[in-house]
Amino acid sequence: GRVVMSVDKKVYIFKDRFTGDDMFSGAYPFELIDDVAYCVKAKNIRRGGESFDVGGDGNLEEEVDDQAVTVINVVDAARLQQTTFSKKDYMAYIKDYLKRVKDELSATQPDRVDKFMDGSKVFVARILKSFDEYTFYVNESMDFTAGMALCFWKNEEVDPYFYFIRDGLVLGFPGFGKDISKEALVPKEVAAKQGFLV
């Protein structure tokens, strides 16, 4: 029989359904929007830099900023790459991508297709309405036929949010790299018990 790993749900990884690239961790706060997209709250984090004892008594430390940089945790962890789209180019991309996801759902989850298509219409209209407010990120594989992340800021918040198309993702166990075979994925019933929709 199959051995199901006992892993804290926070270490599950949402991966691109087509490339196997990591897209975001289940540890990040997220919610479902329009039944078709996850809205993930990201954080700006500092990478690099060192603390050095510059006092003789060991009580004084100073952060040296020579190599410290601020990055967005979602981008850094999944090695997402920023890209640009004109509205026309985005429409061409999203039309093809949604068809690709729909075709996959037709083969694997036919009962999900209508909900996906209905939610997609609402979601894409939301994006187009404020298109200039988004920054686009492509997956690590730089596969422009697969999933993208859309970054935006709410109000005056310092930390950004990201949209990911729900049905373009699979939920995987950590440690499997880009593998999206059955053994690398969290079983649907386990995911559902822990509050994940996949």
Side-chain angles (χ1 to χ4, degrees):
R2 182 169 174 210
V3 176
V4 176
M5 296 170 62
S6 176
V7 176
D8 183 338
K9 71 179 184 178
K10 291 184 178 181
V11 299
Y12 294 158
I13 306 294
F14 282 92
K15 298 177 175 217
D16 183 88
R17 175 184 292 275
F18 303 109
T19 66
D21 289 333
D22 291 358
M23 295 304 277
F24 71 94
S25 167
Y28 303 141
F30 64 93
E31 63 181 325
L32 188 60
I33 304 293
D34 301 327
D35 195 34
V36 76
Y38 287 123
C39 180
V40 178
K41 183 167 180 27
K43 283 197 170 296
N44 290 304
I45 59 173
R46 292 181 55 79
R47 283 273 183 240
E50 300 285 331
S51 293
F52 294 99
D53 180 0
V54 294
D57 60 5
N59 291 327
L60 185 61
E61 287 192 1
E62 179 180 325
E63 177 113 346
V64 176
D65 201 19
D66 59 335
Q67 295 181 0
V69 293
T70 299
V71 297
I72 301 170
N73 61 349
V74 171
V75 173
D76 188 57
R79 294 171 294 286
L80 301 175
Q81 302 296 316
Q82 188 172 337
T83 190
T84 57
F85 276 107
S86 67
K87 192 180 265 193
K88 180 182 175 186
D89 290 341
Y90 179 73
M91 283 304 299
Y93 158 76
I94 199 67
K95 181 180 173 188
D96 290 345
Y97 178 66
L98 294 177
K99 182 185 182 320
R100 188 176 186 196
V101 173
K102 178 185 173 188
D103 291 347
E104 178 70 17
L105 288 176
S106 294
T108 60
Q109 293 177 267
D111 57 319
R112 177 79 186 126
V113 172
D114 289 341
K115 290 178 185 175
F116 169 71
M117 294 309 294
D118 291 345
S120 294
K121 290 174 190 168
V122 174
F123 178 72
V124 170
R126 173 194 308 268
I127 301 306
L128 295 177
K129 182 177 174 184
S130 53
F131 183 80
D132 293 336
E133 295 177 19
Y134 292 94
T135 304
F136 299 90
Y137 287 85
V138 65
N139 50 68
E140 181 186 16
S141 295
M142 301 288 288
D143 184 338
F144 285 84
T145 66
M148 298 268 176
L150 283 72
C151 178
F152 66 100
W153 281 260
K154 290 183 180 180
N155 306 316
E156 299 297 317
E157 291 187 43
V158 173
D159 293 323
Y161 291 79
F162 284 81
Y163 284 138
F164 296 88
I165 301 289
R166 166 189 170 186
D167 297 285
L169 302 170
V170 292
L171 187 63
F173 290 113
F176 282 86
K178 294 184 182 202
D179 184 359
I180 53 173
S181 66
K182 188 174 181 178
E183 291 72 31
L185 301 181
V186 178
K188 287 186 189 305
E189 58 278 2
V190 173
K193 277 185 190 177
Q194 297 185 5
F196 288 102
L197 296 171
V198 290

